[in-house]
Amino acid sequence: MRFSPKPNPKHGTVLVQNNQIIVTNPEAEGSYAVIEVPNSKGIQVFIDGKPARGSLTVDSKLRIEVKTSNVAPERKLQWLPSEDKLSLCARLVMRPGIEYQYQDTPAPVRRLSLQVVESPIPPQPFTPEEMMKDLAQTEFVGTMDEKGLAVLSQSTASNEAVLLQGTPMDPGVPAGYAPVPLKRRYDPLHLHMHVATVISGTIVARYSSGRAGYSGKDIFGSDIPVPEHPPVSALGDGVQDVTGQLVAKRSGRLVFSSALIDVVPELMLQQDISPKGGQVIFDGDVWVGGSVLDGCFIKATGRVVIEGNVMNAKVVAEQGIWVYGNVTGGTLLTGQVSLLYGELHPHLKEVIEAFSSFTRDCDVVIFEAQKQQQTRSKIHLIPAALLQSRYQSMLDRLESLAANYTVLTTIDSAYREIFELLRSKWTGIQVTAIQLDDAKLLHTKLRDYLRYVENALTNRFAHVTVASATSSTIQATGNVCVTGKGLYGTRVESQRSILIKKSARGSTLSAERAVYVHELGSAAAAECSVAVKRRSGTIYIGIRHPNTLLTLGTEQHRSDRRVENTYYQGRLPGHNYISV
C-alpha cells in the first residue's frame, strides 16, 4: 500500500496597509495568523463590530475594522493692545492635531504586533479675510499693517505681529533758548564742571521758535492731545535778547535753567578781608583769595568761596559756602532765602489762582457791557467794582503778600518790583482806579515770579564744605561736609546730611536725613551729640566714644563704652542694632 506525501503547510498571514488589516487564511493544515492589538486611546480594532485587545487569531472571514479618533487641530486669534494704546498685536495660538494609524508592514507575516504611529496635523492658517472679519467685530481702529497681515496669513504655528497702528501724537518742539557752548571749569562746591565767568557782551544762548505739534489717535479711537509746552525761561537783569541772541549785559556767572536765564555778578577779592574793609554785601557770587578776619561780614545772594580761613567772622550765602581753610569762632549760614520762598510759595499760588478767576470774570462782564449802549461808558469802572464786590479776599491776600515778606525787597529784585507795584496801585484808595490792563500786568508778573520761586525751591539745598571748624556755628539747607581734621566745640545744623571725614569732639550735630562721622567724642568722654530728625534716618559712626548721645527720630541712646563700626537706621541700640 502506497502513501502519497503530505503537501507543505501554508500558514496564514497578516498585512497592514493604509490602516487596513489584510488577512490571508492558511492552507494545507497551516496555522492561522495572529495579531497583537495594543491598547491605544487614538486607534482601535473592531472584529465583527466588537472591540479587540491583546493577542488574537484572525481569519479572513472576520470583519476587521480599524477606527481612529484623531485629535483635530486648534487655532485661535487673540487681539492684544499695547500699553501705550498705539498698536494692536494679533496673536495666533495654533495647536496641531494628531492623526493615529498603524504602521504599514513591508510584507505579510504570520504574527504581527500592531505599532501605533502618531502624525501631526497642522492647522490651516488664517486667511487675511478671516482676520479682517474678526477685527471688524472689535472696537479697534487704525491703519492696517499689511506686512504683519501677510506674515500671519502664512503661519501654521503660533505667532504674533502688529496688525493695526494708531496715529502717534507729535509733541512738537517747545520754543526757548538753547545754550551756546562756553568754556567750563571745575566747581569744587558742587563737584561738577560749570561755565566759567562770562564777559559782558558774550552770546550765551540763541532763541529757537520751536515747532507746533499735532494730536494723535489711539487704536480705541480716542484723541491723544498735544501736551502744553513749557513757557520760555524768564530772563534776568543780566541778559538781553538781541534779535534772537541772548547777550550778557554784565560780566559774571551764567545761570541757565528752565525757569531763569541770567548772568549773576561775581565779586573777586584777591586779598584778606579785614575789619578795615567792613561788610561785603553783594548780589551775586563772592570769591575771596585770602582769609576773612575778625569782625568781618559777607553776605551774598549767590555762592561764597574762601581760599583761606574764617576767623571770628560771619558768612551768609544763599547758594552755598566753600572754605578751603579752617573756621574758628565763625558763623556760616546758607539757603536762608529759600526758607522764605518755601513759606511764600503756597500764598503766591493762591493769589495767582484768584487773579485768574478775576481776569476771566472781568473779560466776561466787559464783553456783556459792550453789547449795551448805556453801559459802554462805564466799562473802565468794572475791574475796580468787581474787586470790591467779589474779590475782597484776593485784595487781603495781596496785602499780606506785601506785608509779610518785606525782607525779600533787599535781596530779591523781582519781588521788589512786585512789592512796589502792590504799594503803588493795589492798596488803599488806589484800588478804585484799577484797570483791566493793571490786573493783567500784575497777573503776568506774579506768574513769572512763581516760576522763579519754584526754580529756586528745586535748587534750595545750599551746601557747606569746610576743612575744619572750632567753636563755630554752621547752618545749611543742604549737606555739610568737613573734609579736614574735623570739628571741636561746633554746632552744625543741616536740612539734609552731615559728613565728618575725621573727628567731631565736644560738638552738636543735627541733620534731617543722615549723619556720618569717622570718630565721635574722645577717650576723655567729652560730651558730644548727634541727632537725625527723620524716624527712618541713618547714623553711621566709625568710632563711638563713651558719653556720646544719639537721637534718631524720638529715640535716644547714650553710650557708656567705646563701640566701633556701628550703623543705626530706623532704631537705636536695644531695638535694631546692626554691627558692620
Side-chain angles (χ1 to χ4, degrees), residues 79 81 104 111 122 163 179 199 290 319 331 362 379 428 503 545:
W79 301 105
D104 290 349
R111 189 177 190 89
L163 281 197
I199 301 172
Q319 296 181 17
T331 300
C362 279
I379 285 178
S503 64
H545 289 287

Side-chain angles (χ1 to χ4, degrees), residues 269-281 286 288-298 306 309-315:
L269 302 172
Q270 300 290 345
Q271 70 287 342
D272 292 343
I273 300 178
S274 65
K276 293 181 181 180
Q279 297 182 346
V280 176
I281 300 177
V286 175
V288 180
S291 297
V292 182
L293 305 179
D294 294 9
C296 292
F297 175 69
I298 297 178
I306 300 169
N309 304 314
V310 176
M311 309 291 291
N312 299 310
K314 185 174 183 178
V315 180

